[in-house]
Amino acid sequence: MRPILTPAFATTLILAGGAQADDAALRSMAKEYFEPIPLQAPMLENNVISRDRVDLGAKLFFDPRMSRSGLFSCQSCHNVGIGGVDGLETSVGHGWQAGPRNAPTMLNAVFNIAQFWDGRAPDLAAQAKGPVQAGVEMNNTPDNVVATLKSMPGYVEGFDAAFPGESDPISFDNFALAIEAFEATLITPNSRFDQFLMGQDGAISDQEKNGLQLFVDTGCAACHAGINVGGQDYYPFGVVEKPGAAVLPEGDKGRFAVSETADDEYVFRAAPLRNIALTAPYFHSGKVWDLKEAVAIMANSQLGAELEDAQIDDIVAFLGTLTGEQPEVVHPTLPARTINTPKPAPM
Amino acid sequence: MRPILTPAFATTLILAGGAQADDAALRSMAKEYFEPIPLQAPMLENNVISRDRVDLGAKLFFDPRMSRSGLFSCQSCHNVGIGGVDGLETSVGHGWQAGPRNAPTMLNAVFNIAQFWDGRAPDLAAQAKGPVQAGVEMNNTPDNVVATLKSMPGYVEGFDAAFPGESDPISFDNFALAIEAFEATLITPNSRFDQFLMGQDGAISDQEKNGLQLFVDTGCAACHAGINVGGQDYYPFGVVEKPGAAVLPEGDKGRFAVSETADDEYVFRAAPLRNIALTAPYFHSGKVWDLKEAVAIMANSQLGAELEDAQIDDIVAFLGTLTGEQPEVVHPTLPARTINTPKPAPM
């Protein structure tokens, strides 16, 4: 865990009508913290983003037969139409069980330092193996996933094409790699903020520019920086003042469960703020539905700052500029089951 | 309910190598019973298939916030990627309750005489109002649906565009009309069978031609006819011999619950057989996973016929030719919720 940084640019408000010189200064400052989402999926270290692999991953992502019940797919909790989330406090999974944490978005997740609120998966492939096996989520087993895939000629062909030359392409590892390849394409470029970063002065309003300045001056950008405006490192929730148990449930000690280090109690990955206006409710507990309230809680608990209402409004306006172009995904036609396909077992 | 018809063409097998004259005779016979799915959505009597209305309907169809829990959308049980079904015996809904009947496909459903297994909804708009309110399905209320829609500017704009000139366009009735407009576009033209009907001799194999002939000669086409190869009228399940309670549960008396007429006990709409190879499991009970077994049960219970294995194989091969081009649907980006949007209540 990195220490909390002091804001590097404790500048005063410089906006007075959005004059060109001010825009240039604001942009220059912002570029010290942030960078735009690229137009295309990035290269990955241990995976290949081929069209065949992405197409296969899309099928797997949308296929509810990857769950034991036949009800849940990745898409159930990471909805491509709702900013990559499910809009629930915490997800509901197998047997109508409530999951422990709010579902994070998979949009732009490829740019996070690691996956899950506690960063326990180093990449999207490792992440993809989690929910499919979790008893409160998809409640499946790798063996049953592989048997399901091998039972359908459409998947046999899909894995052959996506993993050419492999002798036994249908494996749980390759299942995860294909999903990672698809998810790496789920990025949201050209937000109005990114357009501003790239030189379009008028892409964001004066109020939004004011919010950007406040976001940096107040210290938010100390943790919420980088390409995803967050998602790059881990910090304790409640640096200055712990929020109440309603927002920060005592039973969930965050990264402590991963590292077993006392310093990591209530430590979480700083939430990536891309598309944050689309992904209520907020925090790992999903207890806060209003982005204004979330900003106020963060300012107070992490920075000891009591923001005025108008300041919060400006920051929320700025956060709205982080909504990018949502991915356009054709719902895949899924391979037909056969009589050898394991039957779903919801009950 | 129409009486069971005697097959109009009790022809003997005419196939001997697929000669052109035989193909012409088979096609001519088939056209007495069946017609191809059109390339475009049909006109509707009480609805307008405008682009704005279809786009709105697509959003509503895919939006899980139309359910009380926030988990279920139309798409949950009528998956555009799985032949329009969920692949479960009976659907699982609110609170993990099992529904009473297997989810029928919405693909080509616009061509059915009426909707639901018992035909209790005259059209797709009336159908759309059912699951959203059913306690075991989406468990919502019209008032909560309307409040949810009115809370989101994206939907306010969508209804304004889809229902131009209306003073209060967001209503439960218009919600249903928009879904109907979208669903009317979910048709699957150009199946190999339809290509054969349209004159392409080689579109189906000799075995499939044999199966088509058997399908008619055995009497299947007496009920499973028309554009949807079924879905046009109501018939008792077990005309000749009632199948066991595992397949035909005693508690579900079918259309009797709609008409309260003794004649309608265990009467159901003949299943439309378009894309039947994609929509296991079968029957209103969803108890039969193997299409071969389903054909054998039908032949026995409805027609008193004991088919040989090879004959069943041929009929199943023919049924495989009813798989059409699956709709290509871009997953819609859904309107963002606001703080006025009713919260989901899964628990």
Side-chain angles (χ1 to χ4, degrees), chain A residues 69 71-72 75 79-81 87-88 92 95-96 278 289-290 326 328-332 334 336-337 339 343-344 346-347, chain B residues 69 71-72 75 79-81 87-88 92 95-96 278 289-290 328-334 336-337 339 343-344 346-347:
Chain A
S69 66
L71 253 78
F72 298 113
Q75 160 75 3
N79 194 315
V80 297
L88 303 178
V92 175
W96 211 252
L278 307 180
W289 289 82
D290 184 352
Q326 301 301 295
E328 188 162 284
V329 179
V330 175
H331 194 294
L334 303 177
R337 59 171 295 123
I339 52 168
K343 291 178 191 166
M347 299 297 164
Chain B
S69 65
L71 253 78
F72 298 113
Q75 160 75 2
N79 194 314
V80 297
L88 303 178
V92 175
W96 211 252
L278 307 181
W289 290 82
D290 184 353
E328 188 162 283
V329 178
V330 175
H331 194 294
T333 297
L334 303 177
R337 61 170 294 122
I339 52 168
K343 291 177 191 167
M347 299 300 163

Side-chain angles (χ1 to χ4, degrees), chain A residues 133-327:
Chain A
Q133 298 182 75
V136 301
E137 299 185 49
M138 294 167 77
N139 195 33
N140 214 340
T141 62
D143 282 353
N144 195 56
V145 168
V146 167
T148 301
L149 296 171
K150 288 190 171 177
S151 73
M152 297 190 239
Y155 274 126
V156 172
E157 289 164 24
F159 276 84
D160 276 346
F163 299 94
E166 295 195 18
S167 59
D168 190 20
I170 297 187
S171 65
F172 195 55
D173 283 342
N174 283 350
F175 160 87
L177 286 171
I179 291 174
E180 177 178 62
F182 171 62
E183 290 184 335
T185 69
L186 301 178
I187 60 180
T188 65
N190 287 323
S191 67
R192 291 193 294 114
F193 176 59
D194 284 356
Q195 292 181 37
F196 176 76
L197 282 182
M198 291 184 283
Q200 190 74 24
D201 287 347
I204 66 177
S205 71
D206 288 348
Q207 185 190 20
E208 290 158 353
K209 287 172 187 169
N210 214 19
L212 164 58
Q213 186 72 53
L214 272 166
F215 188 81
V216 172
D217 289 349
T218 310
C220 313
C223 302
H224 296 283
I227 188 169
N228 267 355
V229 194
Q232 306 309 311
D233 214 334
Y234 308 95
Y235 305 94
F237 193 174
V239 181
V240 178
E241 185 170 331
K242 264 200 168 31
V247 171
L248 180 62
E250 288 184 5
D252 185 349
K253 295 196 174 172
R255 203 164 156 73
F256 175 74
V258 181
S259 66
E260 294 185 355
T261 304
D263 277 359
D264 277 348
E265 281 196 358
Y266 303 107
V267 165
F268 295 89
R269 191 189 62 189
L273 300 184
R274 292 279 177 187
N275 305 297
I276 193 73
L278 307 180
T279 63
Y282 302 110
F283 301 132
H284 66 285
S285 61
K287 288 291 184 189
V288 175
W289 289 82
D290 184 352
L291 190 50
K292 286 184 63 170
E293 187 185 346
V295 169
I297 289 172
M298 278 279 105
N300 191 255
S301 65
Q302 303 304 96
L303 301 161
E306 289 285 351
L307 296 175
E308 289 168 20
D309 261 11
Q311 292 177 308
I312 293 174
D313 284 344
D314 289 356
I315 291 175
V316 167
F318 159 64
L319 294 176
T321 71
L322 299 176
T323 301
E325 291 172 359
Q326 301 301 295

Side-chain angles (χ1 to χ4, degrees), chain B residues 191-193 203-215 273 276-277 290-292 295 309-323:
Chain B
S191 67
R192 292 193 294 112
F193 176 59
I204 65 177
S205 72
D206 288 348
Q207 184 189 22
E208 291 157 353
K209 288 172 187 170
N210 215 19
L212 164 57
Q213 187 72 53
L214 272 166
F215 187 81
L273 300 184
I276 193 72
D290 184 353
L291 190 49
K292 286 184 63 172
V295 169
D309 261 10
Q311 292 177 309
I312 293 174
D313 285 344
D314 289 357
I315 290 176
V316 167
F318 159 63
L319 294 176
T321 72
L322 299 176
T323 300

Side-chain angles (χ1 to χ4, degrees), chain B residues 24-314:
Chain B
L26 182 65
R27 177 177 301 112
S28 171
M29 181 276 289
K31 287 169 93 166
E32 298 279 335
Y33 289 94
F34 313 110
E35 57 178 303
I37 300 282
L39 294 181
Q40 301 289 338
M43 301 283 273
L44 298 179
E45 267 184 46
N46 302 305
N47 204 343
V48 174
I49 318 276
S50 66
R51 184 162 298 177
D52 285 329
R53 204 171 286 192
V54 170
D55 286 350
L56 173 63
K59 290 189 174 81
L60 297 170
F61 185 90
F62 279 96
D63 197 335
R65 298 166 304 187
M66 298 303 108
S67 66
R68 185 83 187 108
S69 65
L71 253 78
F72 298 113
S73 64
C74 306
Q75 160 75 2
S76 302
C77 301
H78 305 285
N79 194 314
V80 297
I82 317 183
V85 302
D86 57 11
L88 303 178
E89 284 188 9
T90 66
S91 300
V92 175
H94 192 88
W96 211 252
Q97 298 173 84
R101 292 181 189 148
N102 181 259
T105 182
M106 79 298 183
L107 299 180
N108 309 306
V110 66
F111 302 119
N112 291 332
I113 183 174
Q115 304 303 324
F116 294 116
W117 281 95
D118 54 17
R120 68 184 181 275
D123 54 36
L124 287 165
Q127 191 281 330
K129 292 179 175 178
V132 74
Q133 298 182 76
V136 301
E137 299 186 49
M138 294 167 78
N139 195 33
N140 214 340
T141 61
D143 282 352
N144 195 56
V145 167
V146 167
T148 300
L149 296 171
K150 287 190 171 177
S151 74
M152 297 189 241
Y155 274 126
V156 172
E157 288 164 24
F159 276 84
D160 276 345
F163 299 93
E166 295 194 16
S167 60
D168 190 20
I170 297 187
S171 65
F172 195 54
D173 282 344
N174 283 350
F175 160 87
L177 286 171
I179 291 174
E180 177 178 61
F182 171 63
E183 290 184 334
T185 69
L186 300 178
I187 60 179
T188 66
N190 287 323
S191 67
R192 292 193 294 112
F193 176 59
D194 284 356
Q195 293 181 37
F196 176 76
L197 282 182
M198 292 184 282
Q200 190 73 23
D201 287 347
I204 65 177
S205 72
D206 288 348
Q207 184 189 22
E208 291 157 353
K209 288 172 187 170
N210 215 19
L212 164 57
Q213 187 72 53
L214 272 166
F215 187 81
V216 171
D217 289 348
T218 309
C220 313
C223 303
H224 296 282
I227 188 168
N228 267 355
V229 194
Q232 306 308 313
D233 213 334
Y234 308 95
Y235 305 93
F237 194 174
V239 180
V240 179
E241 184 171 331
K242 265 202 166 31
V247 170
L248 180 62
E250 288 184 5
D252 186 349
K253 295 196 175 172
R255 202 162 157 74
F256 174 74
V258 181
S259 67
E260 294 186 356
T261 304
D263 276 358
D264 278 347
E265 280 196 1
Y266 302 107
V267 164
F268 295 89
R269 193 189 60 190
L273 300 184
R274 292 278 177 188
N275 304 297
I276 193 72
L278 307 181
T279 63
Y282 302 110
F283 301 132
H284 65 284
S285 61
K287 288 291 183 188
V288 175
W289 290 82
D290 184 353
L291 190 49
K292 286 184 63 172
E293 187 186 345
V295 169
I297 289 173
M298 278 279 107
N300 191 254
S301 65
Q302 305 303 97
L303 301 161
E306 289 285 349
L307 296 175
E308 289 169 19
D309 261 10
Q311 292 177 309
I312 293 174
D313 285 344
D314 289 357

